[in-house]
Amino acid sequence: MDQSARVARITRTGGPEVIEWVDVDLPPPAPGEVRLRSLAVGLNYIDAYHRSGLYPIDLPGGLGSEAAGVVEAVGEGGDGFRVGDRVGTFGPSRGAYATARNVAVGELVHLPDAVDDRTAAALLLKGGTAAMLIEQCARVQPGQAVLVHAAAGGVGHLLVGWLKAIGATVIGSVGTTDKAEIARAAGADHVLLHREEDVAARVRELTDGRGADVVLDGIGKATWDVSLAATARRGMIVSYGNASGAVEGVNLGILAAKGSLFVTRPTLFDYARTQGERQAMADRVFAMLARGAIRPTIGRSFALADAAEAHRAMEAGDTHGSTVMMP
């Protein structure tokens, strides 16, 4: 039978004010789907990109890709999942800003008993991103020097802890002294204040002139030149976010001039295409959590109905670590 739910929709792009809430009747799960009742929803910068139109989506459309909850119904072919299972999802389908929704089983992962709903919602997408960037994309090795921009951010502080745990030398770049303390607490060996220091010059100094073997750059346009200048000969820049705007007009010749650099712009779901790949990725995240290498700091919590307020806070820089929304 149908079940009522409250879901967020946007019919046009723009600021947080375009987020609207509507009541819907959910049909029974289709073949290969389950009905997921949300218990915690993660807030991520990509949600703002979809809302603003930076990343175009079909309209009207839903927002949010990360949530934890419980299975309430299983459609035909929903193998591996049962009513009552605790599960999480981190996309790529949108619509997590909802009290309940039907989700394809291929997008679900099982949650271990030791991980509560708020932690899972704060960690799945950001933790999966960290796993992909470090272990599958850059393939960071012990002893390598890695520069992490926005080292106190939702992904950044997870990158720092994970890198430290595998034996890398971690250099974090942040904007304020408060964020510097967050990066140090996460495990950074060196923390640079980008508003006060020449980050690239300091990275060279800290690495005896060599530069960083890997640069993990979630900022984009504002840090592109810094990343180029800070990377070691034959090093890799992993540009994975656009917090300051997209990197455009890249002249490939600059990669040769800067030392035969490698550059990649990865997308998480090219590394987690199947349910099995996603579960394996989530299991790595939960293993690093159990090890104490990463700590999903939940800086702020909002009611799910206050998603617009949460977006305003995120875009104003008034959040740190992970932000969760509770139905």
Side-chain angles (χ1 to χ4, degrees):
M1 61 182 295
D2 291 359
Q3 175 179 308
S4 61
R6 192 160 177 78
V7 303
R9 290 281 187 271
I10 60 170
T11 58
R12 58 190 174 93
T13 58
E17 70 279 357
V18 303
I19 301 174
E20 302 174 346
W21 288 92
V22 297
D23 293 314
V24 300
D25 290 326
L26 292 177
E33 289 185 340
V34 306
R35 178 177 296 151
L36 171 65
R37 177 164 56 88
S38 301
L39 297 177
V41 176
L43 176 71
N44 295 281
Y45 233 103
I46 195 172
D47 302 350
Y49 296 161
H50 289 143
R51 188 212 71 225
S52 69
L54 178 63
Y55 288 178
I57 62 173
D58 292 334
L59 298 176
L63 290 175
S65 56
E66 183 178 38
V70 62
V71 174
E72 290 194 322
V74 179
E76 182 181 352
D79 298 338
F81 295 91
R82 299 177 299 176
V83 172
D85 282 354
R86 293 183 60 246
V87 297
T89 180
F90 52 97
S93 295
R94 296 177 307 281
Y97 292 14
T99 57
R101 62 182 175 132
N102 293 334
V103 183
V105 295
E107 297 193 8
L108 296 174
V109 296
H110 289 281
L111 301 180
D113 293 340
V115 178
D116 63 72
D117 299 312
R118 292 176 77 248
T119 298
L123 192 59
L124 278 169
L125 183 59
K126 298 177 183 69
T129 299
M132 176 271 290
L133 293 172
I134 295 170
E135 298 193 345
Q136 296 172 275
C137 184
R139 299 182 182 180
V140 176
Q141 300 299 308
Q144 287 188 316
V146 182
L147 171 62
V148 179
H149 290 297
V155 173
H157 82 286
L158 299 177
L159 291 171
V160 168
W162 198 307
L163 289 163
K164 184 65 175 176
I166 65 172
T169 297
V170 188
I171 305 170
S173 173
V174 298
T176 67
T177 55
D178 288 347
K179 290 184 176 181
E181 289 305 312
I182 294 171
R184 289 192 185 96
D189 296 287
H190 310 281
V191 181
L192 311 179
L193 296 171
H194 66 74
R195 295 172 182 166
E196 302 176 12
E197 303 177 80
D198 182 331
V199 170
R202 287 284 288 128
V203 170
R204 296 280 176 182
E205 179 183 332
L206 291 167
T207 57
D208 298 323
R210 189 180 75 256
D213 299 292
V214 175
V215 176
L216 299 177
D217 188 346
I219 301 299
K221 184 177 182 180
T223 47
W224 173 244
D225 288 338
V226 175
S227 295
L228 285 171
T231 306
R233 192 181 308 275
R234 300 194 306 274
M236 175 180 282
I237 301 172
V238 182
S239 179
Y240 69 92
N242 306 315
S244 67
V247 177
E248 298 177 341
V250 177
N251 175 6
L252 292 181
I254 198 68
L255 304 180
K258 293 295 184 179
S260 300
L261 305 184
F262 294 85
V263 176
T264 183
R265 179 62 172 89
T267 297
L268 175 62
F269 296 105
D270 282 331
Y271 292 84
R273 299 185 65 186
T274 68
Q275 196 278 328
E277 289 174 341
R278 292 176 196 189
Q279 187 68 59
M281 183 177 284
D283 290 345
R284 284 293 296 140
V285 173
F286 297 140
M288 294 301 275
L289 176 66
R291 179 177 170 180
I294 58 175
R295 296 181 293 276
T297 302
I298 300 175
R300 296 186 67 177
S301 295
F302 293 83
L304 184 57
D306 294 330
E309 181 184 347
H311 274 231
R312 292 187 185 97
M314 177 175 64
E315 292 180 296
D318 291 337
T319 62
H320 70 272
S322 297
T323 301
V324 296
M325 300 180 291
M326 309 300 292

